[in-house]
Amino acid sequence: MDGNRAVIIVAMNEETGGPRVVLNNGVEIPQVGFGVFQIPEEGAQSAVESALAAGYRHIDTAAAYNNEAGVGAAIKASGIPRDEIFVTTKLRNGNQGTDSVRREYDGSRQALGLDVIDLYLIHWPSPARNLYVDSWKTMEQLYANGQIRAIGVSNFLQPHLDRLLAETDVVPAVNQVEIHPRFQQRDVVAHGRKSGIAEEAYSPLGQGTYLDNPAVTLIADRLGVTPAQVVLRWHLQNGTILIPKSENPERMRTNLDIFGFTLTDADISAIDALESNGRIGGDPMNAEWTQIR
Ligand code: A2P
């Protein structure tokens, strides 16, 4: 991956959720997280309980997923010390704005049952609203007050990042965007890294749609691992933070079991070559929704 590396791996320990990445403010985040997009509220608690039991220590949700309470219940039920679990949630598009951010943050915090949110993201730039700079300034205050350990953005393209960097003080710790072999967003990633912004990959498996691709299965067969493990390892070796999602406990476990093998440079190049502008999710230039399920 081109561009300066903004992140370094400091620890490798399966029992604590795998390697961690140091964000631009010194906060450490487990590089592999568990994403709960599209997991309904009624299934979220048991999915997150299974994920925590499988060893995940980084959970990624959003107000717009309507499952924060289930995530919070699972964290509480797990008995795992609070400081061993990294929790991300995101500001809903419809609640962007100077004052509403504070209410939205409090709502998320209470639903999650947490005093402090580890990472709080603007979910989409929502250019039509033109409120992401105002929203960020309130998030900067919450961050300065110690109510959030790190603040970041999601789905920001270069113009949105450039405007934020020009008009506000705190450089986002992360930019969470759609990244998988068919949609690698190298320009967005390289641009962010130059400013010290770590990229987080959502839909890192391309929502499971092309795990039968021969370029991937050939490597998987040679290494004796699953195609999903090959794709996730590709992200890991790129230095990207990733949040695979699964509702199946066995797949949750194998998706985290990616620290015991290494892809060669040729393997990485073969997966790099799958780029085909294959966006699956929304286009940040016009995604304005307030509810995602
Ligand atoms: P399931 O929940 O039944 O495991 P992404 O993280 O890119 O959004 O991909 C999530 C999708 O990929 C879900 O449909 C999930 O289905 C599927 N998936 C997750 N892990 C695996 C895996 N190891 N092998 C095959 N499909 C997977």
Side-chain angles (χ1 to χ4, degrees), residues 6-7 22-27 143 150-151 170-174 195-198:
V7 293
V22 183
L23 301 174
N24 62 12
N25 65 350
V27 166
Y143 172 62
I151 53 177
V170 177
V171 175
V174 308
S195 300
I197 302 167

Side-chain angles (χ1 to χ4, degrees), residues 35-41 65 67 203 207 245 247 292-293:
V36 299
F37 172 48
Q38 288 174 330
I39 300 184
E41 177 74 292
Y65 303 165
N67 60 16
S203 300
Q207 299 190 8
K245 171 248 166 191
E247 292 186 67
I292 313 173
R293 290 210 54 174

Side-chain angles (χ1 to χ4, degrees), residues 35 37-39 179-180 201-209 211 226-229 232 243-252 254-255 280:
F37 172 48
Q38 288 174 330
I39 300 184
I179 303 176
H180 45 81
Y202 74 72
S203 300
L205 293 167
Q207 299 190 8
T209 49
L211 295 172
T226 68
Q229 287 173 314
L232 297 173
I243 49 166
K245 171 248 166 191
S246 178
E247 292 186 67
N248 174 302
E250 178 58 17
R251 287 197 283 273
M252 288 177 194
T254 56
N255 288 351
I280 298 171

Side-chain angles (χ1 to χ4, degrees), residues 3-293:
N4 296 332
R5 181 165 300 247
V7 293
I8 51 168
I9 294 167
V10 294
M12 194 74 141
N13 181 349
E14 284 88 340
E15 287 172 13
T16 54
R20 290 198 287 270
V21 159
V22 183
L23 301 174
N24 62 12
N25 65 350
V27 166
E28 293 179 16
I29 181 171
Q31 190 174 0
V32 184
F34 181 70
V36 299
F37 172 48
Q38 288 174 330
I39 300 184
E41 177 74 292
E42 55 277 16
Q45 180 172 351
S46 88
V48 174
E49 283 181 10
S50 297
L52 293 170
Y56 292 85
R57 291 294 180 269
H58 163 188
I59 311 293
D60 183 281
T61 184
Y65 303 165
N66 263 358
N67 60 16
E68 288 171 315
V71 171
I75 291 170
K76 192 169 176 200
S78 75
I80 297 169
R82 169 67 187 95
D83 62 1
E84 291 178 17
I85 305 178
F86 191 99
V87 182
T88 301
T89 192
K90 313 184 191 85
L91 171 67
R92 191 191 294 269
N93 285 345
N95 289 337
Q96 285 202 26
T98 304
D99 299 326
S100 46
V101 168
R102 212 171 279 278
R103 285 194 299 277
E104 171 84 342
Y105 162 83
D106 266 330
S108 286
R109 198 181 55 72
Q110 282 165 19
L112 287 162
L114 303 176
D115 294 330
V116 171
I117 288 173
D118 295 292
L119 178 62
Y120 195 47
L121 308 181
I122 297 182
H123 204 153
W124 295 85
S126 187
R129 286 187 173 83
N130 192 26
L131 287 171
Y132 64 84
V133 170
D134 293 342
S135 301
W136 188 254
K137 288 179 178 169
T138 302
M139 284 168 60
E140 287 181 328
Q141 289 169 12
L142 293 166
Y143 172 62
N145 290 342
Q147 291 163 280
I148 308 170
R149 295 177 64 223
I151 53 177
V153 295
S154 183
N155 296 295
F156 272 44
L157 302 178
Q158 187 163 338
H160 314 125
L161 278 181
D162 285 346
R163 184 168 166 215
L164 207 60
L165 293 174
E167 297 183 28
T168 67
D169 297 326
V170 177
V171 175
V174 308
N175 185 16
Q176 184 182 116
V177 293
E178 178 180 341
I179 303 176
H180 45 81
R182 283 193 178 152
F183 192 62
Q184 299 175 27
Q185 303 223 63
R186 290 170 188 230
D187 50 347
V188 174
V189 170
H191 186 66
R193 285 186 179 193
K194 274 187 215 139
S195 300
I197 302 167
E199 76 279 5
E200 287 190 333
Y202 74 72
S203 300
L205 293 167
Q207 299 190 8
T209 49
Y210 56 86
L211 295 172
D212 55 353
N213 187 293
V216 176
T217 56
L218 203 67
I219 298 168
D221 291 347
R222 193 190 83 235
L223 294 174
V225 298
T226 68
Q229 287 173 314
V230 169
V231 171
L232 297 173
R233 179 77 200 182
W234 170 82
H235 287 284
L236 196 77
Q237 287 184 220
N238 279 337
T240 299
I241 301 163
L242 57 150
I243 49 166
K245 171 248 166 191
S246 178
E247 292 186 67
N248 174 302
E250 178 58 17
R251 287 197 283 273
M252 288 177 194
R253 196 188 61 71
T254 56
N255 288 351
L256 193 60
D257 184 15
I258 54 173
F259 310 119
F261 66 98
T262 305
L263 301 179
T264 64
D265 290 348
D267 295 335
I268 299 276
S269 299
I271 301 172
D272 285 352
L274 295 177
E275 168 63 49
S276 52
N277 199 26
R279 186 195 293 283
I280 298 171
D283 181 345
M285 294 310 285
N286 54 37
E288 304 290 342
W289 51 64
T290 60
Q291 188 63 38
I292 313 173
R293 290 210 54 174

